[in-house]
Amino acid sequence: MTTRRTRPAPRPPEGTPPRTELARQARAVLADAVRIAHWAAGTPGPGTAAPLAAHALERAATALELSPAQVRAGWDRARLAGLIELHGDTARPGWRLRAWDRDDSAVLRGWVALFDAWSLVHAAPADIEAGAVAEAVEAVPQVLSLLQLSAGPVTVPALLDLLGQRVAELQEERCEVPLGPGRTTPAAPAEPPARAAAAEDGAGPARSADLNALLLDWALEGLAAVGALTLGKGHATLTPLGNWAVWVKLEQICVAAQSPAGNIEQSAADMLLGCARLTPGPARAEYRAWLAARTVGSAVAELLAVARGEDALLRGLAFEALRVVGAPAEPEVRAVLAEPSLRPYALLWLAEYEGNDPDDAQDVLSREEATWLWVDTAAAVADHGETGLLVRHLDSAVQGTVPALLDEVRAVGHPRTVQVLVALAAAHPDPALAKAVRRAAFQVHTGGA
């Protein structure tokens, strides 16, 4: 018997469009990013982990009939949404791009990844200190919750008041002194909406309130840029996509996995997805049934082909299925040791095959291999798991401290590093730790140290 939850999944708020419509809207938001991802995937050497190289930017703009600014923005979004992954100087299609036209869940997860990274998509003004920006980012979930609960337009003064209260709470929790007249603040653009609203509510706003207004403008513009809300004259409203995303985060809902029924006739990828939510015993039974219907050679080849894909969850599950194959899979597993993305999994498989205790098998991995595997597993959790699992995954890192982990994660060069760090920062309840993780994501994203 398997233990399953009997409580029905909560239903989204009344008026929420069906998933097919939400996915259509997400595809529209990311349309340019998808075009650029397809172009980049078929073009050798489009760029590096830094912004798109100048020569590639010109080629893409010409080929896609977009402006250089549109190409640059689309490239950035494609990376953050998991549509493309960079391996050295080569761009490869991410698993979401492969599934884009047929899998609404992949589309919505890609958009949520972009939504979580809104502060990277729309960079903060350069002359605002990093601490003030970090506080605003930490306060934005409360702003979004108010917008979601209001189920309609919310005035900018109300949002500004909430942002100010939350920032003050964060400063009090850290025993910090709020920004005062002695702190230099930048000049704001001409009459931004939140600044204008602050001026209407009282003459001569203090510098800290003035800075909050500027930060609220930036946050609202960033969220609008990813399609989470729309801005009107003096008010903001969540889009259907934004409303759904905030509700999902509040409820911590996971997309239900496919049923395992009929797996014997499915492809390896579909079979593994169907078994993703099963406990180990029933999952192994499904693997055995699927393997029994195929020759060993073809089954192992199909499982390794899935493992070479961009979906980290399927990579781990493919090696679980190969454990059921046992000895006949050894030559093929040993042969993939030269492939960096499969090497940690193959080393663990071989260690267990040779009789090592599974709890001690991790000792066969180098520090770099263990860190790469940690990021890959975190990517699987971020794509398919629950928020709490991602937070608890921190405890499995070989590094003794979070700063040490972040240093080695930045150096290991996993293509999903930025997305993993952004998701972890969005999920972690400790504001200070979330800030450090968010800063690391920004440094990796921009190519900084």
Side-chain angles (χ1 to χ4, degrees):
M1 293 180 63
T2 61
T3 301
R4 297 182 180 273
R5 296 180 179 178
T6 58
R7 186 174 71 88
R11 293 184 179 182
E14 185 177 353
T16 301
R19 291 178 63 82
T20 53
E21 173 58 20
L22 290 170
R24 185 195 68 77
Q25 295 177 19
R27 287 185 175 98
V29 170
L30 285 162
D32 283 351
V34 170
R35 291 182 62 201
I36 291 167
H38 280 300
W39 173 84
T43 304
T48 65
L52 193 63
H55 66 282
L57 183 67
E58 295 174 2
R59 294 203 315 270
T62 301
L64 301 173
E65 298 182 345
L66 297 172
S67 70
Q70 288 174 313
V71 171
R72 191 177 294 108
W75 169 262
D76 216 27
R77 292 174 179 223
R79 291 181 58 215
L80 293 170
L83 295 169
I84 54 176
E85 295 177 357
L86 294 176
H87 300 259
D89 288 335
T90 302
R92 297 178 185 171
W95 72 272
R96 286 188 180 125
L97 183 63
R98 299 177 190 274
W100 197 254
D101 294 330
R102 59 179 171 79
D103 190 339
D104 289 347
S105 292
V107 172
L108 291 173
R109 287 182 180 274
W111 181 84
V112 169
L114 183 70
F115 170 68
D116 285 339
W118 67 265
S119 60
L120 298 180
V121 173
H122 186 65
D127 46 2
I128 298 181
E129 67 170 18
V133 172
E135 287 173 349
V137 172
E138 290 176 43
V140 160
Q142 280 71 29
V143 172
L144 290 169
S145 294
L146 175 60
L147 285 163
Q148 198 270 338
L149 291 171
S150 299
V154 179
T155 64
V156 170
L159 298 174
L160 182 58
D161 182 61
L162 179 60
L163 180 74
Q165 290 180 32
R166 182 58 184 145
V167 168
E169 290 172 357
L170 292 170
Q171 292 174 342
E172 183 178 355
E173 289 170 3
R174 298 168 193 166
C175 299
E176 294 179 359
V177 178
L179 293 175
R183 183 72 60 87
T184 301
T185 55
E191 296 185 0
R195 176 73 62 79
E200 289 174 6
D201 283 354
R207 283 181 180 269
S208 58
D210 199 47
L211 179 58
N212 283 341
L214 182 59
L215 287 167
L216 179 62
D217 285 330
W218 164 67
L220 294 179
E221 290 165 3
L223 291 164
V226 299
L229 54 78
T230 57
L231 297 174
K233 188 174 181 179
H235 63 80
T237 310
L238 285 177
T239 63
L241 265 179
N243 186 68
W244 168 80
V246 175
W247 171 78
V248 166
K249 289 182 177 297
L250 291 173
E251 297 293 337
Q252 297 185 349
I253 286 178
C254 299
V255 177
Q258 298 178 13
S259 167
N263 281 330
I264 192 171
E265 298 178 2
Q266 301 298 319
S267 66
D270 289 339
M271 179 272 294
L272 293 171
L273 280 175
C275 296
R277 293 288 176 148
L278 297 179
T279 53
R284 283 192 292 270
E286 290 291 327
Y287 299 154
R288 291 189 185 97
W290 184 86
L291 291 165
R294 291 159 178 78
T295 63
V296 171
S298 65
V300 171
E302 190 173 353
L303 288 169
L304 287 175
V306 171
R308 291 186 178 95
E310 281 73 28
D311 192 335
L313 175 67
L314 294 186
R315 185 160 28 255
L317 292 175
F319 276 86
E320 289 297 326
L322 287 169
R323 285 178 172 84
V324 175
V325 177
E330 182 191 3
E332 286 78 9
V333 172
R334 201 172 291 280
V336 304
L337 287 173
E339 300 180 36
S341 65
L342 301 187
R343 180 176 174 81
Y345 293 93
L347 286 171
L348 292 176
W349 190 97
L350 290 168
E352 293 182 30
Y353 171 72
E354 291 167 359
N356 289 291
D357 189 294
D359 293 335
D360 299 328
Q362 292 279 345
D363 295 341
V364 304
L365 302 181
S366 69
R367 182 92 164 194
E368 183 178 3
E369 289 162 350
T371 303
W372 195 98
L373 182 61
W374 186 91
V375 178
D376 207 44
T377 305
V381 175
D383 286 340
H384 301 277
E386 297 183 357
T387 298
L389 291 177
L390 188 59
V391 174
R392 291 195 293 275
H393 184 55
L394 271 175
D395 296 334
S396 68
V398 296
Q399 293 78 9
T401 66
V402 171
L405 171 64
L406 294 178
D407 286 342
E408 295 187 34
V409 163
R410 286 198 295 264
V412 80
H414 193 290
R416 296 290 302 280
T417 298
V418 171
Q419 294 168 44
V420 163
L421 293 178
V422 168
L424 180 58
H428 206 284
D430 183 342
L433 190 147
K435 181 195 294 186
V437 175
R438 196 178 299 112
R439 184 184 302 114
F442 179 79
Q443 290 169 343
V444 175
H445 177 65
T446 58

